[in-house]
Amino acid sequence: MDILAEEFGDLRPEEMAAPINTVEEKWKLLPAFLKVKGLVKQHIDSFNYFINVEIKKIIKANEKVTSDADPMWYLKYLNIYVGMPDVEESFNVTRPVSPHECRLRDMTYSAPITVDIEYTRGSQRIIRNALPIGRMPIMLRSSNCVLTGKTPAEFSKLNECPLDPGGYFIVKGQEKVILIQEQLSKNRIIVEADRKGAVGASVTSSTHEKKSRTNIVVKQGRFYLKHNTLSEDTPIAIIFKAMGVESDQEIVQMIGTEEHVMAAFAPSLEECHKAQIFTQTQALRYVGNKVRRQRMWGGPKKTKMEEARELLASTVLTHVPVKEFNFRAKCIYMAVMIRRVILAQGNNKVDDRDYYGNKRLELAGQLLSLLFEDLFKKFNSELKKIADQVIPKQRAAQFDVVKHMRQDQITNGMVNAISTGNWSLKRFKMDRQGVTQVLSRLSYISALGMMTRISSQFEKTRKVSGPRSLQPSQWGMLCPSDTPEGEACGLVKNLALMTHITTDMEDGPIIKLAFNLGVEDVNLLCGEELSYPNVFLVFLNGNILGVIRNHQKLVSTFRLMRRAGFINEFVSISTNLSDRCVYISSDGGRLCRPYIIVKNGKIAVTNKHIEQLAQGYRNFEDFLHESLVEYLDVNEENDCSIALYEHLITKETTHLEIEPFTLLGVCAGLIPYPHHNQSPRNTYQCAMGKQAMGTIGYNQRNRIDTLMYLLAYPQKPMVKTKTIELIDFEKLPAGQNATVAVMSYSGYDIEDALVLNKASLDRGFGRCLVYKNAKCTLKRYTNQTFDKVMGPMLDAETRKPIWRHEILDADGICSPGEKVENKQVLVNKYMPTVTQTPLEGTSQPQQPQYRDVPITYKGSTDSYIEKVMISSNADDAFLIKILLRQTRRPEIGDKFSSRHGQKGVCGLIVPQEDMPFCDSGICPDIIMNPHGYPSRMTVGKLIELLAGKAGVLDGRFHYGTAFGGSKVKDVCEDLIHYGYNYLGKDYVTSGITGEPLEAYIYFGPVYYQKLKHMVLDKMHARARGPRAVLTRQPTEGRSRDGGLRLGEMERDCLIGYGASMLLLERLMISSDAFEVDVCGQCGLLGYSGWCHYCKSSCHVSSLRIPYACKLLFQELQSMNIVPRLKLSRYNE
Amino acid sequence: MAVPRSRVDEIRNCITLTEYGVRNVHTTDFPGNYPGYDDTWSQKRFEKNFRINIINMDDSTVEFDMIGIDCAIANAFRRILLAEVPTMAVEKVFIYNNTSIVQDEILAHRLGLIPIKADPRLFEYRNSGDEEGTEIDTIQLQLKVKCTRNPKATKESSDPRELYVNHMVYSKHIKWIPIGNQADHFGEAVIGPVHEDILIAQLRPGQELDIVMHCVKGIGKDHAKFSPVATASYRLLPEITFLEPIEGELAEKLKKCFSPGVIAIDVLEGKKLARVANARLDTCTREVLRNEELKHKVKIGRVRDHFIFSVESTGILPAAVLVSEAIKVMMSKCQRFLNELDLAQME
């Protein structure tokens, strides 16, 4: 009975007997969550925070510009606004612009940034409002985008797809995504062992102004401070003294008075004694001598001591605030660091770098704010420089700074950074490449997948397993399946379905609340309290706030306040029992996700709530406000007991998972029954789902992309998942339901090759459209000439356009609907031969000369012209875009894949009558070899086939949701009911012999994707063709009609085999054979039978060598090395 | 060595379905293969054994039994039905104007797959290289539709059916344009799509289609659009035998293992006794083999030479006509083969 009482606590017997109430449809919270948060909400939230809040803070921090030339002159920013996206039609006339127009016209979707300023002109003080200082690229669907709050009907008016997630930028007509960047958390103490096993602590501090890294290292039992600005490691006791803690006792009190802690720290104190440093002045002098001098310019000269004090106050542990050189908080912080190291030394408990509680995700908003602040500072310093230069000069007009505010610096800075992806900020020594990527529009899924992608800062080439492996703390936050193979494996990750990334929050109210809840301020403590065994330290965003005795009460009250809505729902609080700390976090970039609250073994959410949700009386926010659901970040998750299913709830349970399948991401969510598959197969499918052709958006026909693949008849999958419904994959599908027979057929199906039914292809299976574009601009040049387009050239005799110009309209641009063949002209463009301004004095010819530079079509197969767009781009040049279309039916070699990482190429196309058929007369669309199954272990595909077959017979869609979905047993019962075999294996007759097959065939529909890899784009052969100019060797690559390389390994084979003549033929005769005249006397190359060195022709003989060899000799000669050829007759 | 006669009969006549595979799938009754059996070809015996029973027949489908024939011949009929009975289908599409969102190629593909009601027997194959076509080998069809706003539509309506006119292009919009004397020739039987309600494209006001199509005669081997059948296939007659009488509860269980109507239960002296009522209805789910109790008491198989054909026409010709056409194709093939043989003999 006692045991029972222990287990069930204070539950009454009837409560124990009552069955746990189940909330069957709690998954309905998920669409509600996605409705408020959306799949790319993290990007949009972050950007919104930047343009509405952060940008104002940046202005505030850099509000005043002054000049050294005139102390009276100043410029002060009063406010800043980011407007709505617009385009300048003509001078000072603007008009709102839609994202799609920017895409088509190769423009940037950006809005003006305007400021209110106050400045002096002469002795006047002037206030100017709404002055533009530059343009900000606007994220689609952010608060300043024209798309926000629009209905689907309005979306279609703007040529925009309502299902498009947004969250990207349009820069110079290209869609660019700023990838989520993962990095180690700032301002947190990380205790780590180095390669030799010595434990040290490090903190990367970061504030708006500075970024620095502070290390505590142990050398021979002594503690040192290691910092970039100090030329060598400084004993820690000296640092303490330099910060004003002169008494050794005080230092030890702060670090801890336990026996072993004191013993560990004693050598450090001793060292300080040996150095004869006892006072702050001495210590500062000592530190001052070690400061690395960097800035020589600016500011009045400081003494070394002042410099050291400045350094300790602002650069070491930047994030700990120091006011008027009161180092108290910083000393305590450093003491805590040392204490951590000492405690870790004993039991080797170091922190885990890869733990997701220690990671922060940097989003578009944060990255842009760094960039903007940098550009804004540059802008201001430029203004200051101009002021310094102009003010001293006496001018008629008074200095007016407004005239010198140029917009293009900020505009170009932003546009260039986003379009190239190079984020180089001198201030933070940041130089990152590949921050942005072009949004992949291969399919809807590939675009969505890109928006949830996270790239890590680790080097890809490093062969480390730690950061690449799956971390337990990733559970529910990052998708365990979706990562690329190869070098970026495990470094590029994707968000799970319900993950939310926090943005920065005001910490003032939290500090106030913490003090009200009994936290004692560190500044009021003597130091020894820190190491009391029953006292917990309280941290807020990495800074020590104070100490508390009753931490449980603090945490529970804090959570209560949060659930009641007094504090922001994204503030997290968690206890770390081993470090005896309470961590409160309100910083941005933390991963968090919602959970259902469980109290005393009872779920807060009831069926009634869900019912109201379904009826629309309630939304997700209401669930949050009524403390039914709350967000937990990774650290807080560690402090909770979360039940996966309702039946697993015990007395200790604090939370319940909303739905387990949400731990997968968008791409993995497409896979039916992924929990039955071998895990790498799901990873492969995640990569392949992005290559599948299908539909890319409702506006796909209005787009003019460089490359677009569409399926002629896309279908929604027979076996769907909850994720598929949630992300609207059904509305924009990428694949077709093919009837598959799993059997061997003809031998053209080995190694995963598929056999396709010809009649299915005739009827449109796998038929796809390939769109490409051709572009041309008509420019104006500086010498008043401009490009022009001329009508087709007529044949002299027939008066008909010549073949190359056959498809041109009278205006010289091809007309829609025409068929274009290789080398035909799309735009008959002419360019002036002289585009530079002629020199003064030389007379300009009356009629400028033109040279034809036609835009021709290149491609082995014909295309059709879908549409022609004539517009102008941002530089007011004419822009002509031509969309070309090809329709392709599947052929041998085209690649297909099911949703289980089972890819294969088409190996054979078989007429329908040769295909096997079952009793009901059905022939398969695809025959797949059964050898694909045993080693791959994709049981999910087998179940998909069963569920699909039952669904077809029953006229409904089955679910293959991860960790759920239709049960195999029920599905098989359905099969029996409709007169099919229980196991899905049918009696099948051969179409060739007419006799039944000896085996039963697994037969049914499976969702197949057509992948973008098609033979037509890859096939290549060459007999003769172009050669490179320099070496006269055949060119390289398919696009240049290049040769097929006989590489080193192939060469080695031929050498080994002794096929010397073949080798000669391959490497010289078929490549770059060249006749040279060599003088036998001097061994140098001659020319046309004459040796220029010997001035004779008597010893000159002609021989064949590779051109590259001749080139080598000449290049060597040019650098004063004489290669000589020794000639002798082989028969002598 | 001696195999009992009954066993040999079973191997010869019956395909056995076991739990994990099909046995005796191949035809083995070749002359001289079985001692004591006379398997030499005899026209008389064939005529005696061969039967065709028509089970049901309407314009679109026919189901008939073909008994007493080798599977190779039965399969040949099936293959010919699928691939070698000619029909008329749209082959050339001349697009004068297409401002709809459907791409030209896709539109042409869709038009090609529409079954055209025209008796292919009255037409000739078009010669290769012939682009124009004549009255004996070509049917000309026209599709000319323009979508407009409906002036009578109410203002607040958002239903496209009410707002627009001609916004759905159906196969009924396709009109036949007789060439030469076709109008007199086919006067009665109007040529056009079999079905009226095949959706070809959707239009919006201002969009239009102006298309002329040429239909030619072709066979399914060339393209599936020429195939005259939706499908043609056969199955073998199921055969269920009890190795021992099945009574009581087991009988009920047995009944559930088969499709409805296959097993009947007689009540004899208060005892339930299972009986095979109509094996033909069985779909061969082999459910009975999953039951441990019944597994060894029942044998399921199929009769080797009893083919249950099912032919579904696309509607161009009645299914029965298609079968007879298939037989004609078969005959002409045989005739050609015989001629070849004669030629070879002469050389």
Side-chain angles (χ1 to χ4, degrees), chain A residues 434-727:
Chain A
V435 175
T436 63
Q437 281 180 5
V438 181
L439 181 64
S440 139
R441 284 285 189 185
L442 218 57
S443 65
Y444 177 60
I445 285 303
S446 75
L448 263 191
M450 199 149 203
M451 300 307 304
T452 58
R453 194 161 305 160
I454 299 167
S455 82
S456 162
Q457 293 299 300
F458 282 97
E459 267 183 66
K460 283 182 181 167
T461 45
R462 270 185 34 205
K463 283 199 179 98
V464 280
S465 64
R468 293 174 188 268
S469 51
L470 197 62
Q471 248 278 330
S473 55
Q474 246 175 269
W475 166 274
M477 302 291 177
L478 303 178
C479 179
S481 290
D482 196 357
T483 179
E485 296 164 69
E487 61 168 7
C489 185
L491 297 179
V492 172
K493 288 169 278 253
N494 278 272
L495 293 177
L497 211 56
M498 277 219 285
T499 318
H500 180 82
I501 301 171
T502 58
T503 48
D504 277 315
M505 265 166 281
E506 205 59 59
D507 54 5
I510 300 167
I511 297 172
K512 214 181 268 171
L513 180 75
F515 287 145
N516 285 344
L517 291 176
V519 177
E520 290 170 58
D521 194 344
V522 258
N523 292 314
L524 308 175
L525 302 175
C526 76
E528 206 179 338
E529 298 90 335
L530 302 179
S531 48
Y532 284 169
N534 52 353
V535 164
F536 273 58
L537 272 172
V538 181
F539 281 83
L540 172 68
N541 293 335
N543 262 333
I544 302 174
L545 208 58
V547 293
I548 185 119
R549 200 177 279 269
N550 190 350
H551 69 273
Q552 276 144 341
K553 194 175 165 209
L554 171 73
V555 172
S556 61
T557 328
F558 205 90
R559 286 188 184 152
L560 221 58
M561 302 281 277
R562 184 180 61 196
R563 287 176 191 179
F566 292 110
I567 331 171
N568 190 303
E569 68 249 35
F570 296 115
V571 176
S572 95
I573 183 164
S574 56
T575 29
N576 186 331
L577 289 173
S578 62
D579 290 346
R580 293 193 293 114
C581 288
V582 176
Y583 292 108
I584 307 172
S585 308
S586 69
D587 53 343
R590 284 171 296 126
L591 288 161
C592 62
R593 97 191 265 258
Y595 286 95
I596 296 171
I597 295 169
V598 175
K599 260 186 203 158
N600 301 325
K602 278 203 175 137
I603 307 163
V605 177
T606 62
N607 278 322
K608 208 175 106 199
H609 293 130
I610 298 292
E611 225 167 81
Q612 287 173 340
L613 178 78
Q615 287 161 351
Y617 296 141
R618 210 176 250 286
N619 62 22
F620 194 77
E621 303 278 281
D622 297 332
F623 276 80
L624 279 174
H625 295 150
E626 286 169 44
S627 65
L628 304 172
V629 163
E630 70 177 337
Y631 285 100
L632 298 184
D633 76 352
V634 180
N635 279 313
E636 198 168 340
E637 261 186 345
N638 261 4
D639 216 16
C640 297
S641 163
I642 303 163
L644 190 56
Y645 295 108
E646 277 146 279
H647 62 87
L648 299 174
I649 292 175
T650 61
K651 205 190 98 198
E652 287 81 28
T653 306
T654 58
H655 293 89
L656 173 70
E657 194 77 39
I658 292 181
E659 265 305 321
F661 73 81
T662 55
L663 80 96
L664 295 175
V666 173
C667 296
L670 297 188
I671 309 168
Y673 299 103
H675 51 302
H676 289 277
N677 283 342
Q678 189 202 7
S679 98
R681 291 289 140 192
N682 291 337
T683 304
Y684 297 155
Q685 163 57 26
C686 287
M688 268 184 305
K690 292 165 193 158
Q691 304 175 19
M693 276 185 240
T695 32
I696 62 170
Y698 289 169
N699 63 348
Q700 57 187 19
R701 297 294 303 279
N702 296 329
R703 301 175 65 102
I704 304 183
D705 292 356
T706 39
L707 196 59
M708 180 163 75
Y709 295 107
L710 302 178
L711 214 54
Y713 297 104
Q715 291 175 341
K716 47 169 150 172
M718 275 312 298
V719 183
K720 55 188 187 180
T721 65
K722 289 261 165 59
T723 316
I724 285 180
E725 286 178 342
L726 292 171
I727 62 170

Side-chain angles (χ1 to χ4, degrees), chain A residues 701 713 758 762 771 885 887 913-914 917 919 921 976 979 981-982 985 987 991-992 994-995 998 1000, chain B residues 18 21-22 26-27 75 78-79 83 101 103 105 109-110 221-222 224 233-234 283 285-287 290 302:
Chain A
R701 297 294 303 279
Y713 297 104
K758 179 172 171 290
D762 286 344
Y771 286 97
R885 153 170 48 90
T887 308
E913 62 269 22
D914 285 345
F917 58 97
D919 272 356
I976 280 294
N981 179 253
Y982 182 86
K985 296 200 276 188
Y987 167 96
I992 301 172
E995 286 171 345
E998 281 190 68
Y1000 300 119
Chain B
T18 67
V22 190
H26 301 298
T27 315
N75 190 36
R78 184 191 69 88
R79 291 169 61 94
I101 63 153
Q103 296 90 344
E105 298 96 292
H109 175 236
R110 292 180 73 86
K221 211 187 243 177
D222 185 38
S233 79
Y234 61 75
T283 53
T285 58
R286 313 188 305 279
E287 184 66 4
R290 288 208 315 132
R302 311 192 101 173

Side-chain angles (χ1 to χ4, degrees), chain B residues 105-117:
Chain B
E105 298 96 292
I106 303 293
L107 187 66
H109 175 236
R110 292 180 73 86
L111 291 171
L113 289 174
I114 296 171
I116 303 296
K117 189 145 187 96

Side-chain angles (χ1 to χ4, degrees), chain B residues 169-205:
Chain B
V169 182
Y170 288 107
S171 47
K172 66 179 172 214
H173 291 109
I174 296 177
K175 295 281 166 303
W176 173 42
I177 306 172
I179 320 178
N181 63 354
Q182 278 179 348
D184 314 328
H185 216 265
F186 301 101
E188 298 286 296
V190 172
I191 289 172
V194 175
H195 308 279
E196 293 203 318
D197 54 350
I198 300 173
L199 182 65
I200 296 169
Q202 288 200 33
L203 303 181
R204 281 296 174 269

